[in-house]
């Protein structure tokens, strides 16, 4: 051990010397004065974001293949980027227990956290970020992602102990304003000259507003103690002001919404308050407990990242700062702490979108309580038809969560009740026979996590008030620092109903599903990393895609190699087999068939001349189905990112050529975007995709992003434009 | 009726009859680890890859039972005994049977294996294969051999390869049907003392596609280990556990085929005292 300590000091001294000699600490990241400046040049700032994006978008790309989950993925990514941005402003002290926050965000795995604790127990507090390299289970990517958002202070940072007074909160708080504008240009036919009568006659065909998407966000924070903000958004095609509309149309639209932005949200969040209040959230917030079988909204990543990340770490109450219009709560939530117990209570009242059932002349008595056929979560109100669904019903949710936390064991219980102002009654069909119907739903669940030195067992059992169950049981183990495997079994009852489900699942609803998951993460040699997983799932009831109980498998293999400090190569393979109804109806109308989509991706990333980051990608997608509809898709791309050292700007460019036979073999590929945004175009057909992203920092407090993306297909050209201004003061 | 019978028979006979798993993987450890067997070193190497038994000491006995798809008609039973003779090599005899009653496949094997230093072990097995049909159809039998090798590449990495019935000879008794030719190779990576990862590739000459499998074993406690694995083509997921006492080792496993359901396996290995 003494030997180890000596080595540690030699290393630290060397690094300090290197940093002094080359003077390459980053200036832009503010660090609390009592901590050591951790950031050396070996971890490039650009690289940090790049690694984070890469990790995020692997998840998001996986979700982008599932049409139902695309929207959720985009909200989740946006939310994580907001959290990341927030942490850049108020870094987490890795020498304190606040580091568990990074686990909740999925930036640090459970075992990395454990290794860190162990390291601190043996050798005391960390002093430099480079020390993380000596802790087993910490790889370069993780360190690069962590670098801007952590610092190494004394055990408890001064900011977290002192009392928050109003004057301090006003004078020392940090503010951030984000303005984001985007629009798409499409040289296909325009819809400008549609007359009012036509718009009223075909309410779903015409967008009422202009094609600009606008987002305005204001965030305030005081360390990690106080957060507040407002967000407003208008999607492309949504109305901002009604001036351009004709009188009749304006009257119609006014019935559904007032002028202004389409979405407004506000949040206030406080931690470590008086009277044992651990957290208090007012306004918009997200909740997540246990493994997500009972209640989980917001940030949730599934199977794609592999490793132990399928074991979820619930964050409890978290403010919702994004402008996503999917699932969230609006009201109040608080967590109280008493010794080893934590109690969360919440109440939420919100108007949500729903499709009203066509009124029937015979059902007069039901007029007081309308029927709705489906809840809408897309958040789009572009056309008259979509506007009619806006805020049509009221949703009340209240409930709570109680946890017992000890170092080895965590046990939690969740219960909540949802009340809708209208009765949800989907149009009866065989596949939706067991969907939730009615206006009230209660869910309850028990979750646990039991931690042994090298193994963690976790699980959750949930119940909906129709006495249907869903359960999850898993284990994740770390035989050595560089090996990690996970086994997980999940089973959702056929009649299980839940409106706020966030657990690992294959179907979008999480009903009538059973699945087995095996994941393995391994570093067979220094610089090599292998992540593999397999998921076998079975749907016990019909789905909208296949009119029979069905099953499928998913495999993923990712091999990455760090060639040198500046170069990595990664190979990714993914295969998913599922069942669907056959398209040809000569024999049986809905014959179930298997289809498989495989994607192969080779990604090479390297830096030259210190400030030029180059990267190449080769993607190949293959689609094959039992009814002999086979297709292929390719993509080849070159990325160039220019980030001059010590200069306030950077440029990033991609040129990609793609070719795919049809939509089935489309290629989803992530693109760098303006901060906090998300872009994964699905490319099909034959063409070129180019984007150019630029960023410039002005006066030390303003960041300007601008991005233009062009997709050139044989018959048309699509352009998308984005601009963002972030002001920090 | 005759027509239907004829069509049914034609459907049945159209495919090579020997395309069943005559050289199926046996042993509870392999069953739990996605049927990865080539690099294993146990009494079941006798049937999976004869080279694997080269370094075993003294007497070993093994019994294995697999209830495939939880049907008695598709049960698989195997037994094996190994005796090592110092400076000569290792000898073994094994017997296995799949099915019963109206249809069964049996294999009787005599094997010999020898190690040439740590880098190379070779094994050879001579097998008699027997197909039994009920209701007066004649039994069919054939001789075949299997060859195997294993090599300890580094302290932690082992490679293995095995081929069953390498020369596809048509025998008169088989009415023109062919024996499967199966080749497997794989790697076993002992990452740390208590964790092993194994991968296998298998190609059967009579079956389309390549069979891939992978699995791992984790020694959770000193005597208790946990295993899991997958196989592709067909897609099978497997779990298992093992409990070892001084001489006796009990393996249990369960496999999941999504269309056909679950199979359970149990194996008992007994090792006599070292001489």
């Amino acid at each position: 051990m003494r030997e180890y300590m000596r080595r540690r000091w030699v290393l630290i001294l060397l690094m300090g010397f290197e940093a002094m000699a080359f003077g390459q600490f980053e200036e832009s990241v503010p660090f609390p004065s009592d901590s050591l400046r951790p950031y050396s040049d070996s971890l490039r700032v650009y690289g940090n974001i790049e690694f984070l994006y890469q990790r995020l978008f692997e998840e998001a790309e996986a979700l982008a293949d599932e049409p139902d989950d695309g929207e959720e993925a985009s909200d989740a990514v946006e939310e994580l980027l907001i959290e990341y941005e927030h942490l850049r402003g108020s870094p987490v002290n890795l020498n304190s227990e606040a580091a568990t926050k990074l686990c909740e965000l999925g930036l640090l795995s459970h075992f990395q956290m454990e290794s860190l604790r162990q390291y601190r127990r043996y050798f005391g507090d960390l002093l430099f970020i480079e020390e993380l390299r000596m802790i087993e289970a910490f790889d370069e990517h993780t360190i690069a992602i962590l670098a801007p958002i952590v610092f190494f202070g004394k055990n408890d940072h001064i900011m977290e102990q002192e009392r928050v007074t109003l004057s301090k909160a006003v004078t020392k708080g940090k503010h951030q304003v984000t303005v984001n504008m985007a629009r798409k240009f499409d040289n296909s036919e325009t819809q400008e000259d549609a007359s009012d009568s036509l718009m009223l006659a075909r309410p779903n065909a015409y967008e009422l507003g202009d094609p600009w998407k606008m987002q305005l966000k204001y965030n305030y924070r005081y360390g990690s103690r106080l957060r507040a903000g407002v967000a407003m958004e208008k999607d492309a095609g949504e109305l901002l002001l009604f001036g351009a509309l004709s009188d009749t149309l304006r009257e119609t639209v006014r019935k559904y919404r007032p002028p202004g932005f389409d979405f407004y949200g506000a949040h206030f969040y406080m931690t470590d308050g008086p009277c044992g209040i651990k957290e208090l959230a007012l306004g918009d917030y997200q909740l997540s407990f246990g493994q997500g079988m009972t209640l989980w909204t917001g940030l949730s990543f599934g199977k794609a990242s592999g490793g132990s990340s399928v074991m979820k770490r619930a964050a409890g109450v978290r403010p919702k700062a994004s402008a996503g219009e999917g699932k969230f709560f609006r009201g109040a939530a608080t967590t109280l702490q008493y010794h080893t117990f934590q109690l969360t209570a919440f109440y939420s009242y919100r108007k949500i979108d729903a499709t009203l059932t066509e009124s029937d002349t015979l059902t007069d008595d039901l007029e007081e309580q309308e029927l709705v056929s489906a809840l809408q979560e897309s958040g789009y109100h572009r056309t008259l038809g979509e506007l009619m669904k806006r805020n049509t019903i009221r949703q009340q949710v209240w409930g709570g969560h109680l946890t017992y936390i000890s170092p080895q064991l965590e046990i939690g219980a969740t219960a909540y009740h949802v009340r809708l102002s209208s009765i949800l009654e989907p149009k009866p069909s065989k596949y939706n026979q067991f969907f939730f119907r009615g206006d009230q739903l209660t869910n309850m669940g028990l979750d646990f996590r039991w931690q042994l030195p090298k193994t963690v067992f976790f699980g959750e059992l949930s119940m909906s008030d129709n006495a249907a169950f869903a359960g999850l049981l898993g284990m994740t183990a770390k035989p050595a620092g560089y090996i990690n495997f996970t086994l997980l079994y999940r089973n959702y009852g056929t009649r299980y109903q839940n409106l706020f489900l966030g657990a690992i699942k294959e179907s979008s609803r999480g009903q009538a599903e059973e699945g087995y998951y095996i994941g393995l993460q391994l570093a067979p040699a220094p610089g090599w990393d292998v992540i593999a997983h397999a998921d076998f799932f079975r749907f016990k009831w019909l789905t909208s895609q296949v009119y029979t109980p069905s099953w499928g498998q998913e495999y993923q293999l990712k091999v990455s190699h760090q060639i040198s400090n500046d170069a990595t190569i990664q190979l990714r393979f993914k295969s998913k087999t599922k069942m669907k109804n056959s398209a040809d109806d000569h024999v049986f109308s809905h014959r179930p068939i298997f289809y498989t989509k495989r994607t192969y991706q080779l990604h090479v990333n390297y830096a030259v001349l210190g400030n030029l980051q180059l990267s190449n990608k080769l993607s190949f997608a293959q689609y094959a189905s039992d009814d002999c509809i086979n297709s292929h898709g390719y993509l080849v791309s070159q990325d160039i990112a220019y980030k001059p050292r010590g200069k306030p700007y950077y440029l990033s460019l991609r040129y990609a050529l793609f070719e795919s036979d049809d939509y089935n073999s489309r290629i989803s590929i992530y693109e760098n975007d303006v901060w906090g945004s998300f872009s994964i175009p699905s490319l099909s057909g034959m063409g070129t995709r180019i984007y150019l992203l630029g960023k410039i920092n002005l006066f030390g407090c303003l960041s300007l992003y601008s991005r233009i993306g062009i997709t050139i297909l044989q018959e048309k050209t699509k352009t998308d434009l984005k601009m963002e201004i972030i002001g920090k003061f | 009726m005759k027509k239907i019978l004829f069509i049914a028979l034609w459907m049945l006979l159209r495919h090579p009859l020997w395309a069943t798993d005559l050289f199926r993987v046996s042993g509870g450890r392999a069953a739990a680890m996605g049927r990865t067997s080539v690099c294993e070193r146990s009494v079941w190497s006798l049937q999976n890859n004869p080279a694997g038994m080269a370094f075993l000491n003294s007497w070993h006995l093994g019994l294995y039972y697999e209830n495939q798809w939880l049907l008695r008609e598709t049960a698989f039973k195997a037994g094996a005994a190994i005796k090592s003779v110092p400076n000569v090599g290792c000898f073994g005899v094994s017997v296995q049977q799949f099915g019963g009653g109206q249809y069964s496949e049996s294999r009787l094997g005599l094997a010999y294996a020898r190690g040439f230093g740590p880098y190379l072990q070779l094994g050879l097995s001579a097998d008699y294969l027997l197909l039994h049909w009920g209701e007066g159809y004649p039994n069919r039998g054939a001789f075949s051999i299997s060859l195997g090798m294993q090599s300890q590449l580094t302290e932690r990495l082992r490679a293995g390869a095995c081929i069953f019935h390498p020369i596809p000879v048509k025998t008169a008794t088989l009415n023109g049907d062919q024996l499967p030719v199966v080749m497997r190779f794989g790697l076993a990576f002992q990452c740390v003392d208590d964790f092993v990862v194994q991968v296998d590739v298998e190609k059967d000459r009579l079956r389309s596609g390549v069979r891939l499998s992978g699995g791992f074993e984790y020694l959770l406690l000193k005597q208790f280990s946990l295993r899991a694995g997958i196989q592709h083509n067909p897609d099978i997921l497997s779990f298992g556990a093992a409990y070892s006492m001084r001489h006796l080792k009990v393996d249990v496993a369960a496999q999941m085929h999504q269309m056909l359901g679950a199979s359970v396996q149990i194996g008992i290995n007994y090792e006599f005292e070292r001489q």
Side-chain angles (χ1 to χ4, degrees):
Chain A
M1 185 138 104
R2 193 171 292 159
E3 173 64 19
Y4 204 75
M5 288 295 280
R6 201 179 300 137
R7 263 175 53 201
R8 182 184 176 209
W9 278 107
V10 168
L11 190 84
I12 288 167
L13 282 174
L14 274 174
M15 280 165 180
F17 176 71
E18 183 197 61
M20 267 196 312
F22 300 103
Q24 288 159 349
F25 286 129
E26 262 299 322
E27 289 303 321
S28 63
V29 185
F31 276 93
S33 54
D34 64 338
S35 69
L36 287 157
R37 286 297 194 86
Y39 215 121
S40 93
D41 187 62
S42 60
L43 308 160
R44 247 167 264 99
V45 186
Y46 182 74
N48 300 328
I49 299 164
E50 181 67 15
F51 285 137
L52 178 71
Y53 264 82
Q54 211 166 306
R55 191 182 275 191
L56 277 177
F57 287 125
E58 274 166 26
E59 292 271 0
E61 269 179 17
L63 285 169
D65 284 342
E66 313 292 317
D68 300 335
D69 297 339
E71 200 66 34
E72 266 174 54
S74 111
D75 286 353
V77 168
E78 192 191 334
E79 217 173 291
L80 181 57
L81 290 175
I82 288 173
E83 290 294 315
Y84 191 81
E85 183 65 31
H86 166 73
L87 289 172
R88 283 220 285 192
S90 56
V92 169
N93 185 358
L94 266 194
N95 287 330
S96 76
E97 279 306 301
T100 44
K101 194 187 278 177
L102 300 173
C103 282
E104 288 160 9
L105 291 174
L107 299 172
L108 210 59
S109 81
H110 173 82
F111 289 115
Q112 283 168 336
M113 186 68 211
E114 284 304 305
S115 306
L116 180 70
R117 278 204 189 114
Q118 205 170 1
Y119 183 88
R120 278 178 46 221
R121 215 173 302 138
Y122 285 145
F123 305 115
D125 285 352
L126 282 84
L127 300 171
F128 272 106
I129 184 124
E130 280 78 4
E131 266 189 278
L132 286 175
R133 287 187 185 151
M134 300 199 293
I135 307 177
E136 60 173 15
F138 274 82
D139 55 275
E140 288 295 312
H141 286 209
T142 311
I143 296 170
I145 290 171
L146 291 184
I149 57 168
V150 297
F151 73 98
F152 304 93
K154 291 194 197 80
N155 205 331
D156 276 308
H157 183 227
I158 195 117
M159 198 93 150
E160 292 174 11
Q161 285 170 345
E162 68 187 24
R163 273 189 64 204
V164 181
T165 59
L166 191 66
S167 63
K168 267 191 213 161
V170 170
T171 52
K172 290 193 177 168
K174 297 266 190 292
H175 309 263
Q176 180 174 333
V177 176
T178 310
V179 183
N180 185 313
M181 309 239 329
R183 81 164 281 181
K184 286 189 171 119
F185 298 91
D186 199 337
N187 65 354
S188 58
E189 54 170 312
T190 51
Q191 301 168 342
E192 297 279 315
D193 45 356
S195 69
D196 287 3
S197 52
L198 203 58
M199 278 199 180
L200 291 168
R202 294 173 60 197
N204 288 318
Y206 300 100
E207 292 183 356
L208 297 165
D210 58 86
W212 282 96
K213 177 184 171 161
M214 276 182 244
Q215 211 182 59
L216 188 67
K217 280 187 283 200
Y218 163 73
N219 283 300
Y220 161 83
R221 63 155 199 277
Y222 175 67
S224 57
R225 300 284 298 277
L226 272 183
R227 286 173 72 176
V230 288
M232 48 201 84
E233 190 198 43
K234 148 196 177 329
D235 283 313
E238 288 176 347
L239 280 165
L240 186 66
L241 298 170
F242 298 168
L245 298 176
S246 69
D247 290 345
T248 43
L249 211 53
R250 194 181 307 153
E251 284 311 306
T252 322
V253 171
R254 258 184 211 285
K255 273 196 278 180
Y256 303 109
R257 55 164 285 204
F261 281 96
D262 181 68
F263 172 83
Y264 292 97
H267 68 272
F268 172 84
Y269 177 76
M270 186 182 89
T271 57
D272 305 314
C275 315
I277 295 177
K278 193 173 167 276
E279 292 170 299
L280 173 71
L282 300 172
D284 295 353
Y285 59 91
Q286 305 278 19
L287 293 171
S288 51
F289 301 116
Q291 295 296 319
M293 287 303 248
T294 319
L295 175 57
W296 191 292
T297 61
L299 196 60
S300 158
F301 290 112
K303 300 177 281 188
S305 56
S308 62
S309 66
V310 293
M311 180 180 80
K312 289 178 184 265
R313 267 201 104 104
V317 184
R318 182 188 289 141
K320 177 188 168 288
S322 75
E325 293 168 64
K327 283 176 186 159
F328 66 91
F329 298 99
R330 182 166 276 178
T334 182
T335 304
L336 306 173
Q337 180 144 23
Y338 178 74
H339 293 301
T340 51
F341 287 93
Q342 281 185 6
L343 176 72
T344 305
F346 66 93
Y347 173 79
S348 162
Y349 174 88
R350 215 192 128 191
K351 282 184 175 169
I352 55 171
D353 298 359
T355 317
L356 294 173
T357 310
E358 301 279 312
S359 58
D360 199 329
T361 44
L362 293 172
T363 53
D364 281 341
D365 14 325
L366 277 172
E367 223 161 66
E368 283 170 27
Q369 208 165 21
E370 286 171 311
L371 292 179
V372 293
S373 61
L375 303 179
Q376 303 289 324
E377 277 163 9
S378 72
Y380 287 123
H381 309 110
R382 298 163 297 193
T383 65
L384 214 50
E386 284 171 341
L387 265 181
M388 285 173 190
K389 296 172 188 167
R390 186 177 186 267
N391 290 352
T392 39
I393 61 171
R394 298 179 299 277
Q395 180 197 57
Q396 286 185 77
V397 191
W398 63 88
H401 176 79
L402 179 71
T403 345
Y404 163 78
I405 302 171
S406 79
Q408 275 77 43
L409 189 67
E410 273 177 41
I411 297 178
T414 317
Y416 68 99
H417 182 77
V418 186
R419 182 187 286 254
L420 304 174
S421 65
S422 299
I423 294 171
L424 182 65
E425 186 64 49
K427 203 175 152 203
S429 174
K430 284 201 179 80
Y431 79 87
N432 69 15
Q433 191 172 337
F434 300 110
F435 282 18
F436 167 62
R437 279 154 214 273
D439 60 348
Q440 296 198 40
L441 178 64
T442 306
N443 285 86
M444 282 173 279
L446 281 174
D447 60 271
F448 80 96
R449 173 161 56 223
W450 179 38
Q451 204 168 310
L452 298 168
K454 285 179 173 179
T455 315
V456 188
F457 293 91
F458 57 95
E460 183 164 3
L461 181 70
S462 305
M463 187 185 137
S464 53
D465 56 7
N466 59 349
F469 288 89
L472 177 149
L473 192 64
M475 69 167 285
T476 174
K478 185 195 70 166
Y482 53 92
I483 310 163
N484 168 235
F485 73 86
T486 308
L487 305 176
L488 188 141
Y489 170 73
R490 61 185 187 271
N491 194 338
Y492 297 88
T494 310
R495 290 167 58 240
Y496 182 66
Q497 295 166 347
N498 190 326
L499 295 172
F500 297 101
L501 190 73
I504 179 170
K505 60 189 192 295
E506 179 63 35
S507 62
S508 54
R509 286 191 84 89
Q511 198 176 33
E513 181 186 328
E514 188 184 12
Y516 300 85
Y517 172 95
I518 298 184
L520 178 68
Q521 189 172 6
L522 191 70
W528 287 86
D529 201 19
V530 179
I531 297 177
H533 82 243
D535 186 40
F536 282 47
F537 46 86
R538 188 166 73 87
F539 305 126
K540 294 182 271 188
W541 190 247
L542 328 185
T543 66
S544 54
Q545 312 287 319
V546 50
Y547 294 166
T548 163
S550 62
W551 60 87
Q553 309 92 33
E554 178 189 299
Y555 299 104
Q556 189 171 329
L557 176 72
K558 194 166 77 182
V559 181
S560 25
H561 178 47
Q562 183 96 27
I563 304 166
S564 69
N565 264 348
D566 289 329
T568 56
I569 183 164
Q570 191 188 72
L571 188 70
R572 210 140 63 86
F573 165 73
K574 194 185 156 190
S575 157
K576 186 179 258 187
T577 305
K578 280 176 103 164
M579 282 164 87
K580 65 169 184 181
N581 288 332
S582 168
D584 81 295
D585 42 14
H586 295 303
V587 193
F588 303 107
S589 55
H590 299 305
R591 186 166 57 95
I593 53 162
F594 284 99
Y595 68 94
T596 305
K597 173 140 189 201
R598 294 193 184 92
T599 16
Y600 304 80
Q601 209 172 70
L602 179 72
H603 187 184
V604 189
N605 200 334
Y606 52 99
V608 289
L609 304 172
N611 51 20
L612 209 54
Q613 187 94 20
L614 300 176
S615 137
N616 292 94
K617 236 178 211 182
L618 167 67
S619 288
F620 173 64
Q622 188 187 28
Y623 175 90
S625 74
D626 278 358
D627 53 3
C628 296
I629 300 170
N630 300 335
S631 54
H632 298 99
Y634 305 86
L635 178 136
V636 183
S637 77
Q638 170 77 55
D639 286 21
I640 301 168
Y642 176 64
K643 185 178 186 334
R645 191 169 297 172
K647 296 276 172 22
Y649 59 87
Y650 77 75
L651 275 175
S652 168
L653 168 80
R654 168 176 295 167
Y655 189 92
L657 291 175
F658 61 90
E659 178 197 337
S660 84
D661 296 343
D662 56 14
Y663 184 70
N664 289 326
S665 55
R666 69 193 180 277
I667 292 184
S668 307
I669 185 165
Y670 82 81
E671 293 180 347
N672 289 328
D673 206 331
V674 303
W675 182 256
S677 259
F678 169 92
S679 167
I680 301 185
S682 283
L683 303 170
S684 62
M686 194 186 223
T688 313
R689 170 79 190 165
I690 308 163
Y691 79 80
L692 178 67
L693 169 72
K695 184 204 169 185
I696 183 159
N697 288 330
L698 294 175
F699 321 119
C701 66
L702 275 183
S703 308
L704 263 65
Y705 291 87
S706 179
R707 178 183 186 274
I708 182 162
I710 305 166
T711 311
I712 305 164
L713 292 161
Q714 269 168 340
E715 65 276 21
K716 59 179 172 181
T717 305
K718 288 191 232 168
T719 311
D720 54 271
L721 193 67
K722 268 186 193 173
M723 278 173 286
E724 189 174 78
I725 304 169
I726 300 177
K728 291 180 194 172
F729 45 92
Chain B
M1 188 63 204
K2 260 185 183 171
K3 206 171 173 182
I4 294 170
L5 200 71
F6 175 76
I7 292 170
L9 259 173
W10 179 79
M11 296 268 284
L12 202 68
L13 294 174
R14 200 164 62 101
H15 296 288
L17 285 176
W18 288 87
T20 41
D21 269 349
L22 251 171
F23 302 111
R24 65 181 65 229
V25 172
S26 51
R29 185 173 184 269
M33 293 172 71
R35 299 191 183 168
T36 52
S37 60
V38 177
C39 297
E40 194 181 329
R41 283 181 175 173
S42 77
V43 62
W44 298 111
S45 301
L46 185 52
Q47 286 170 1
N48 298 334
N49 178 4
M53 61 184 199
F55 283 130
L56 296 180
N57 290 311
S58 80
W59 275 92
H60 284 260
L61 287 179
L63 287 173
Y64 174 65
Y65 179 76
E66 172 173 347
N67 201 344
Q68 209 168 21
W69 328 133
L70 303 177
L71 290 173
R72 207 179 55 193
E73 289 74 18
T74 52
F76 176 69
K77 295 139 262 183
I82 286 177
K83 167 87 172 99
S84 79
V85 182
N87 303 325
V88 178
C90 196
F91 296 90
V93 56
S94 74
V95 59
Q96 64 179 53
Q97 191 200 37
F98 168 77
Q102 296 298 305
Y103 175 79
S104 71
E105 299 165 3
S106 310
R107 176 180 163 200
L108 178 74
L110 283 171
Y112 169 71
R114 181 158 187 183
F116 302 90
Y119 299 109
L120 186 66
Q121 296 94 55
L122 293 178
L124 170 78
S125 167
D127 302 318
Y128 180 71
L129 311 166
L130 183 75
L131 260 189
H132 165 75
W133 298 80
E135 299 188 353
Y137 288 95
N139 291 345
R140 295 172 183 177
F143 283 100
S144 116
I145 57 162
S146 352
L147 297 165
M149 61 82 75
Q150 272 187 5
S151 176
Q152 193 74 39
L153 301 178
T154 67
E155 198 187 333
R156 302 221 170 265
L157 190 68
R158 188 187 303 157
C162 186
I163 184 157
F164 298 92
H165 190 61
I167 308 148
V169 190
K170 288 185 183 178
T171 10
T173 49
L174 294 179
N175 300 342
D177 290 324
Q178 292 178 359
L179 278 173
V181 179
V182 179
M183 191 180 150
R184 294 190 191 123
F185 65 85
L187 290 173
F189 181 49
Q190 181 93 39
C191 311
V192 278
D193 289 343
D194 50 7
F195 193 78
V196 190
V197 182
Q198 288 185 180
V199 285
D200 268 21
V201 179
E202 175 186 320
K203 175 67 193 153
D204 185 334
R205 202 173 69 99
L206 301 179
R207 190 183 284 118
S208 73
V210 173
R211 188 177 275 186
L212 302 170
S213 41
F216 60 81
E217 178 176 22
Y218 176 43
L219 201 66
L220 194 65
L221 304 168
K222 205 177 168 191
Q223 292 176 314
F224 181 77
S225 59
L226 209 68
R227 299 156 176 165
I230 51 161
Q231 187 184 58
H232 174 60
N233 189 23
D235 295 287
I236 285 171
L237 195 80
S238 63
F239 301 96
Y243 186 75
S244 32
M245 285 152 273
R246 196 153 158 252
H247 297 294
L248 193 70
K249 191 170 184 186
V250 182
D251 302 310
V252 287
Q255 291 181 345
M256 258 286 303
H257 186 288
Q258 285 173 304
M259 198 190 296
L260 299 171
S263 312
V264 291
Q265 292 88 1
I266 180 158
I268 296 170
N269 303 353
Y270 190 84
E271 182 184 358
F272 287 80
E273 280 291 356
R274 283 173 170 234
Q275 285 170 338

